[in-house]
Amino acid sequence: MNVVAALVAVIGMVILVWLGVGVLKLYTLFGVVVPYAAFLTFLIGLVYRMVNWAKSPVPFKITTTCGQQKSLPWIKHSRLESPANNFEVVLRMALEVLAFRSLFRNLRADLRGRKLYYGSSKWLWLGAILFHWSFFIILIRHFRLFSYPVPGFIKTLDAVDSFFHIGLPHLYMTDVAILAGLTFLLLRRLVDAKVNYISHASDYFPLFLIFGLVISGMLMRYFLRVDLVSVKELTMGLVTLHPKVPQGIGLIFFVHLFFISVLVAYFPFSKLVHMVGVFFSPTRNLPNDNRRVRHINPWWEGVPPKFLTYCEWQEKFKDKLEESGQPIDEDCYEKKS
Amino acid sequence: MALPKRDELLKEVNYDRMPEKHWMDTKPEFRPGTYCYAGEPEVVKDLGLPNPRKWQPHDEDWKLPENWKEIVLNAIRDRMNRFRSFKLFMDICVRCGACADKCHFFLGTGDPKNMPVLRAELMRSVVKGEFTRSGKLFGRLAGARKLTEDVIKEWFYYYYQCTECRRCSVFCPYGIDTAEITILAREILHEIGVNIDWILKPVRFSAEIGNHIGLQPHTIKENIEFLLDDIEEITGIRPEVPLNKKGAEILFVTPSADFFADPGIYTFMGYVLLFHYLGLDWTLSTYAAEGGNFGFFTSHEMMRKLHAKIYHEAERLKVKWILGGECGHMWRVVHQYEDTMLGPAPKNLEVPKSPITGTVFEHAKSTKIVHICEFTADLIAHGKLELDPSRNDHLVVTFHDSCNTSRGMGIFEEPRFILRHVCNNFYEMPENTIREKTFCCGSGSGLNTDEYMEMRMRGGFPRANAVEYVHEKHGVNHLACICAIDRATLTPLMKYWVPAVSVGGVHELVGNALVIPGEKKRTTDLRFQPLKGAEEEA
Ligand code: SF4
Ligand code: SF4
């Protein structure tokens, strides 16, 4: 049901583009208005999201410590798993964001009879790395469509990515990798009972959407061969704010463009914001220096706690204290008088 | 209902078989042994908490206040505004499932709602369904639902089936900490009077008397005298335990269970012997007689109220710094919350400095509170303790990292360093079950009550399973830990799963090994168990 709904939504988009561009010839709508609107939504949505998170304070320093704290000088402390200062936090975050450190820890638990076994389980990590890094490189590669002249490093990236010179045009390694990653992530959601059980339609939707995006892109490059010169004319028009839609770009391009538009517009309002959100995560982005550096809680600072003070307590148990020979604090009475 | 037999308990558990029904359509079943009793009206009233009434979770009608829904929605909104963690964690989970089989309650029940991701989703779905447009529009497709009384019951059931251990947070690629969600969910539930007795009673005792069990000052003293009698019998020495002594150098704070409950008392005897050996200028307070803090399991406000007495007492007694005993959640509070909620520390406190080794504990320079394992490890490293580890030769020891000190503090090496010096037989449990990946005892966060025994044995199963492994492989017969709740809960857990294994604190073993000038030849350990070789000699 969830899967079907998500798939239908994505197929619906193809039909929509086919109707809009193929039949009704709404080139400007799909080639200019939609991309602009999507990009704006993305920007505004993302800023809104970040401001919204930032508005809520971090009242406590709740670092999840995954390694030895910094304490005695002769004990080796774990700089990456239990960072003791902000520099080490940056290292920890870098490892988390660039190499998916926590995911790399993944284990699989198996119950046999009444014995539990743990196996290392790096597949999810591998799938996630393949997917995210390929996506990122593909994105960078696309800048050749948005820049003139194309910067050298993008050309280099392009050359490296198609290094194996398979087919014509040369097959990009990242295209293969992202397909592999996506397929794994999707299959996992379908096959693994636990993951399947927790998945919403909104978990399948972005997967299908990105699948659509990748497949339409690959079709364009390897099979249907759209006119690159016209495409670049359009994309350059978009970035230079002089949008125009040249004639004769294939329908498949508009499908691709529509998918990416939907993806960026959807980004800030869905789980996809995890990409930005991870930087805000207080269990990862704070140092474990709690006893050394005081952390301020904005809603408690200057508000003294209410509790049973010693003198009140002494009043309550005075007899018991005296009987059992425990000292009575005379200061309690001096203060009063 | 009686507790099922060990071999029966997990029969139905299968991590790869999920229910047919969508989780939003399943309701919790309040089966005895799997939930805790509700807070009693007088206790709730005494604490000034909302909606005191007689009710039980298995009742059909929970007698919620009329406007319960409004209260809950406002409470959620309020927590989102005050806790970035909460707001963020509601937004960024991708349901990758990396956390799914990391929770001991899932591993012990196979109940999908005990997967941390789904536990968080119980709240997230409501946030989506009640506060977001997409949630209202797409409903279940977006993982959204409305808040109903059944949801409240479900929250109660599953947020009291989480021990706030943070194991899930270690594995989550975004650090989503379901413990944080549980903490806030419990806080929110309190606002409509949904609570448990086992937490609120200790909280009331703590608020009114000063410690969880309501020990009055003279009783504390009497209990300690009993322990000193035992120490005298075993060692021939009667150390002094200074109470409420003004001007002492160090205030020692430990969970009250250490004064009176087996096996915590042996750990206490270990502390006392150590301090005697060192000639430490210390004091114990019968007012600030509780390091543990069940307020932490109630609300942030309650945690603060109960913890305030420690600095207050340190100020009154004009001590120089504070030494904290072996306790898990006490140390989560001391380490991660104390300074923020009650700091800066009183002016009379100084940066802690060991009077024996001269070591300055720079890492505690703001809070001025040092963990006893840091203190003792430093002593051993400087060769200040004469130790005879063979006095622990009757024990084959393994070490359980408590959740709170592991994932909320990062103290891993200090206790191990001590153990390696005080006993000859020390074996680690498998790597995936210790340190930051350690498994909860299954009864933390105020769930160590008898009516909850089945769930405790289930939740503790992964821990017990790892102990069983080293028991079979290395003959381990003793489980050392640095947590008072662990000492109380691992004992029945071991009895159920691995009966040959006893449980105790690290400083109990220190107390056994410490060679004290003037003591008589020891023939038993602090539990009056014969030392290895002593029987033959006698
Ligand atoms: S590991 Fe984190 S992101 Fe993945 S399902 Fe669990 S809470 Fe969500
Ligand atoms: S904090 Fe611990 S008990 Fe709670 S969901 Fe996470 S792993 Fe389970």
Side-chain angles (χ1 to χ4, degrees):
Chain A
M1 165 61 187
N2 279 339
V3 192
V4 176
L7 191 58
V8 166
V10 174
I11 293 173
M13 286 178 203
V14 180
I15 298 175
L16 187 74
V17 179
W18 173 74
L19 272 179
V21 181
V23 178
L24 301 175
K25 313 284 177 204
L26 301 170
Y27 291 112
T28 318
L29 178 64
F30 282 87
V32 178
V33 180
V34 169
Y36 272 144
F39 190 64
L40 267 181
T41 314
F42 174 75
L43 277 188
I44 296 172
L46 207 58
V47 169
Y48 168 79
R49 251 304 156 60
M50 293 198 282
V51 170
N52 189 35
W53 285 329
K55 269 203 322 222
S56 293
V58 179
F60 302 106
K61 216 189 292 181
I62 53 165
T63 322
T64 304
T65 53
C66 300
Q68 171 64 35
Q69 63 167 353
K70 185 174 165 63
S71 54
L72 298 162
W74 47 272
I75 291 180
K76 194 169 173 305
H77 114 264
S78 172
R79 302 180 67 193
L80 291 172
E81 309 283 13
S82 200
N85 54 44
N86 288 333
F87 173 67
E88 290 171 6
V89 166
V90 171
L91 295 181
R92 183 187 205 192
M93 284 304 289
L95 206 59
E96 199 65 86
V97 172
L98 301 176
F100 300 178
R101 167 71 185 104
S102 293
L103 216 47
F104 193 69
R105 263 189 269 267
N106 197 26
L107 300 170
R108 188 195 151 76
D110 277 307
L111 183 67
R112 295 183 214 142
R114 64 173 188 85
K115 299 249 189 251
L116 257 179
Y117 297 86
Y118 309 94
S120 130
S121 169
K122 306 262 185 270
W123 287 105
L124 176 58
W125 175 82
L126 189 67
I129 283 277
L130 278 181
F131 166 69
H132 285 88
W133 272 104
S134 314
F135 199 115
F136 179 68
I137 295 172
I138 292 172
L139 193 73
I140 303 278
R141 264 208 277 106
H142 274 70
F143 275 96
R144 75 185 190 285
L145 296 174
F146 296 97
S147 49
Y148 187 84
V150 178
F153 84 93
I154 290 181
K155 285 188 190 149
T156 316
L157 185 70
D158 216 271
V160 172
D161 200 357
S162 54
F163 175 77
F164 286 113
H165 290 222
I166 301 168
L168 243 183
H170 299 322
L171 180 68
Y172 286 124
M173 284 185 278
T174 45
D175 284 355
V176 179
I178 198 168
L179 277 183
L182 274 171
T183 310
F184 171 78
L185 293 177
L186 181 63
L187 281 181
R188 187 171 167 276
R189 243 182 229 293
L190 293 172
V191 174
D192 185 311
K194 295 187 282 296
V195 189
N196 186 274
Y197 195 68
I198 57 177
S199 297
H200 306 307
S202 54
D203 294 314
Y204 292 105
F205 175 67
L207 274 175
F208 285 128
L209 189 62
I210 297 171
F211 247 120
L213 183 67
V214 172
I215 290 171
S216 57
M218 289 178 73
L219 280 177
M220 235 187 309
R221 179 174 164 89
Y222 302 111
F223 303 104
L224 300 179
R225 312 302 297 274
V226 291
D227 176 20
L228 254 187
V229 179
S230 315
V231 168
K232 181 136 187 180
E233 212 181 320
L234 187 146
T235 50
M236 287 306 289
L238 286 175
V239 283
T240 53
L241 299 182
H242 292 99
K244 60 167 182 276
V245 185
Q247 292 301 304
I249 308 179
L251 186 65
I252 187 76
F253 171 77
F254 287 95
V255 173
H256 191 63
L257 188 63
F258 192 67
F259 278 150
I260 188 70
S261 302
V262 173
L263 188 69
V264 295
Y266 181 67
F267 188 94
F269 307 100
S270 64
K271 69 170 194 175
L272 301 180
V273 278
H274 67 266
M275 210 186 97
V276 185
V278 62
F279 292 96
F280 286 77
S281 182
T283 63
R284 292 291 186 272
N285 71 9
L286 292 167
N288 177 28
D289 61 355
N290 297 51
R291 278 185 285 158
R292 197 162 48 84
V293 182
R294 180 155 185 260
H295 180 85
I296 305 290
N297 172 337
W299 35 267
W300 265 348
E301 201 60 12
V303 184
K306 286 194 195 70
F307 62 102
L308 179 75
T309 62
Y310 174 81
C311 293
E312 290 162 359
W313 180 85
Q314 179 171 280
E315 261 330 279
K316 231 173 167 169
F317 295 106
K318 198 160 179 218
D319 300 344
K320 308 266 165 65
L321 286 167
E322 276 169 347
E323 267 168 42
S324 63
Q326 296 177 47
I328 298 293
D329 192 340
E330 296 301 334
D331 293 352
C332 286
Y333 306 105
E334 267 167 40
K335 266 180 219 148
K336 264 193 198 145
S337 55
Chain B
M1 200 187 69
L3 184 61
K5 291 248 164 347
R6 181 174 75 162
D7 291 313
E8 305 284 296
L9 191 66
L10 302 174
K11 250 189 0 214
E12 300 294 317
V13 177
N14 184 333
Y15 307 148
D16 297 311
R17 199 179 55 215
M18 293 291 128
E20 290 290 317
K21 270 205 220 162
H22 191 276
W23 61 264
M24 288 186 193
D25 298 327
T26 61
K27 284 190 202 172
E29 184 196 334
F30 287 92
R31 199 162 47 80
T34 67
Y35 64 92
C36 305
Y37 297 151
E40 286 167 16
E42 309 78 59
V43 181
V44 177
K45 203 186 299 154
D46 285 350
L47 284 168
L49 294 172
N51 199 14
R53 72 209 180 283
K54 244 192 152 41
W55 71 286
Q56 282 303 342
H58 49 255
D59 294 345
E60 194 44 45
D61 179 8
W62 282 20
K63 302 182 195 151
L64 301 179
E66 215 154 283
N67 57 341
W68 66 269
K69 193 166 173 179
E70 186 192 331
I71 300 176
V72 170
L73 292 180
N74 283 338
I76 295 178
R77 224 174 271 125
D78 170 70
R79 296 315 183 282
M80 298 249 250
N81 289 338
R82 284 195 292 138
F83 293 84
R84 187 180 300 166
S85 53
F86 190 50
K87 201 188 240 178
L88 189 81
F89 294 164
M90 288 297 116
D91 285 343
I92 62 171
C93 171
V94 298
R95 285 161 296 279
C96 69
C99 59
D101 56 356
K102 307 304 180 285
C103 175
H104 50 284
F105 279 116
F106 175 70
L107 295 173
T109 60
D111 182 342
K113 286 184 191 170
N114 272 326
M115 294 191 271
V117 43
L118 214 45
R119 194 187 310 288
E121 208 69 21
L122 300 179
M123 176 67 71
R124 191 175 289 123
S125 54
V126 170
V127 169
K128 270 193 209 145
E130 296 283 355
F131 297 124
T132 70
R133 210 166 304 136
S134 64
K136 284 181 186 149
L137 210 61
F138 293 109
R140 194 172 282 193
L141 290 175
R145 62 174 176 178
K146 289 279 168 210
L147 179 61
T148 64
E149 270 200 61
D150 280 335
V151 169
I152 297 291
K153 291 183 178 179
E154 188 185 52
W155 282 0
F156 172 82
Y157 194 68
Y158 290 104
Y159 289 122
Y160 285 95
Q161 246 167 70
C162 164
T163 43
E164 306 175 357
C165 79
R166 310 184 99 200
R167 190 169 194 264
C168 45
S169 151
V170 168
F171 292 91
C172 174
Y174 320 117
I176 293 177
D177 182 8
T178 306
E180 184 78 356
I181 295 169
T182 295
I183 290 170
L184 290 166
R186 289 188 185 182
E187 210 172 289
I188 291 165
L189 285 175
H190 270 286
E191 296 202 8
I192 49 170
V194 172
N195 44 39
I196 71 167
D197 181 57
W198 189 258
I199 291 177
L200 288 190
K201 275 227 181 86
V203 166
R204 181 177 67 171
F205 276 140
S206 247
E208 294 180 355
I209 298 176
N211 55 73
H212 286 157
I213 17 199
L215 293 177
Q216 302 194 1
H218 59 294
T219 322
I220 295 180
K221 189 169 177 186
E222 279 161 22
N223 275 343
I224 290 174
E225 293 295 334
F226 283 133
L227 300 181
L228 293 178
D229 292 345
D230 285 353
I231 291 180
E232 192 169 11
E233 202 178 326
I234 296 162
T235 65
I237 290 172
R238 193 179 181 88
E240 201 199 333
V241 175
L243 296 179
N244 306 343
K245 180 177 148 195
K246 270 199 176 176
E249 183 178 355
I250 297 166
L251 170 65
F252 181 63
V253 179
T254 199
S256 61
D258 286 355
F259 311 139
F260 86 107
D262 190 308
I265 46 172
Y266 310 117
T267 309
F268 188 77
M269 288 153 84
Y271 305 143
V272 171
L273 283 171
L274 176 70
F275 300 159
H276 170 85
Y277 176 97
L278 300 172
L280 212 62
D281 180 16
W282 70 295
T283 184
L284 198 75
S285 164
T286 49
Y287 158 69
E290 181 62 70
N293 188 331
F294 272 40
F296 181 44
F297 311 138
T298 309
S299 68
H300 287 85
E301 283 66 31
M302 196 59 86
M303 156 171 76
R304 189 181 191 216
K305 177 185 167 88
L306 299 192
H307 225 70
K309 59 182 179 276
I310 298 177
Y311 272 162
H312 178 66
E313 183 70 336
E315 185 169 24
R316 182 185 75 90
L317 295 176
K318 301 199 173 50
V319 298
K320 289 203 178 124
W321 54 279
I322 302 170
L323 186 61
E326 295 180 11
C327 182
H329 73 282
M330 159 180 168
W331 269 97
R332 171 103 204 264
V333 175
V334 165
H335 185 76
Q336 293 203 320
Y337 296 92
E338 171 102 35
D339 212 12
T340 300
M341 64 182 179
L342 297 158
K347 294 220 166 40
N348 55 296
L349 294 186
E350 297 169 7
V351 178
K353 179 176 169 189
S354 170
I356 317 297
T357 65
T359 298
V360 179
F361 297 97
E362 283 288 341
H363 68 290
K365 82 172 178 210
S366 181
T367 53
K368 327 279 201 284
I369 309 183
V370 173
H371 193 289
I372 181 111
C373 284
E374 296 163 350
F375 179 70
T376 305
D378 173 65
L379 292 168
I380 296 176
H382 283 86
K384 298 290 181 192
L385 300 185
E386 193 186 343
L387 297 163
D388 176 4
S390 76
R391 287 196 196 152
N392 284 315
D393 274 356
H394 57 307
L395 302 174
V396 185
V397 181
T398 191
F399 180 67
H400 162 70
D401 293 277
S402 309
C403 314
N404 283 301
T405 54
S406 303
R407 294 180 280 259
M409 187 183 175
I411 184 166
F412 298 112
E413 291 308 329
E414 291 86 343
R416 285 178 168 79
F417 180 82
I418 299 173
L419 284 176
R420 287 198 191 94
H421 284 85
V422 298
C423 57
N424 288 319
N425 314 305
F426 171 60
Y427 297 97
E428 292 275 17
M429 285 182 269
E431 188 208 343
N432 291 327
T433 70
I434 55 169
R435 296 179 186 258
E436 77 279 3
K437 299 197 216 67
T438 189
F439 276 111
C440 180
C441 63
S443 314
S445 79
L447 305 182
N448 47 330
T449 163
D450 282 351
E451 75 257 20
Y452 194 61
M453 201 48 96
E454 178 182 331
M455 202 45 77
R456 290 172 55 188
M457 296 302 108
R458 287 179 183 276
F461 161 66
R463 170 76 301 151
N465 181 70
V467 177
E468 192 175 22
Y469 177 82
V470 280
H471 169 66
E472 283 166 3
K473 190 163 176 207
H474 304 292
V476 163
N477 63 8
H478 188 77
L479 180 56
C481 59
I482 48 170
C483 170
I485 290 188
D486 278 333
R487 287 190 279 275
T489 62
L490 289 172
T491 306
L493 186 76
M494 288 303 116
K495 215 176 195 170
Y496 184 79
W497 289 108
V498 208
V501 176
S502 56
V503 180
V506 165
H507 277 77
E508 175 186 347
L509 303 180
V510 173
N512 279 341
L514 202 58
V515 181
I516 306 170
E519 71 179 347
K520 70 178 194 196
K521 185 172 163 49
R522 296 204 207 173
T523 54
T524 74
D525 64 8
L526 295 176
R527 300 184 181 199
F528 289 103
Q529 295 181 118
L531 298 183
K532 197 170 184 179
E535 267 167 336
E536 294 98 83
E537 276 174 43

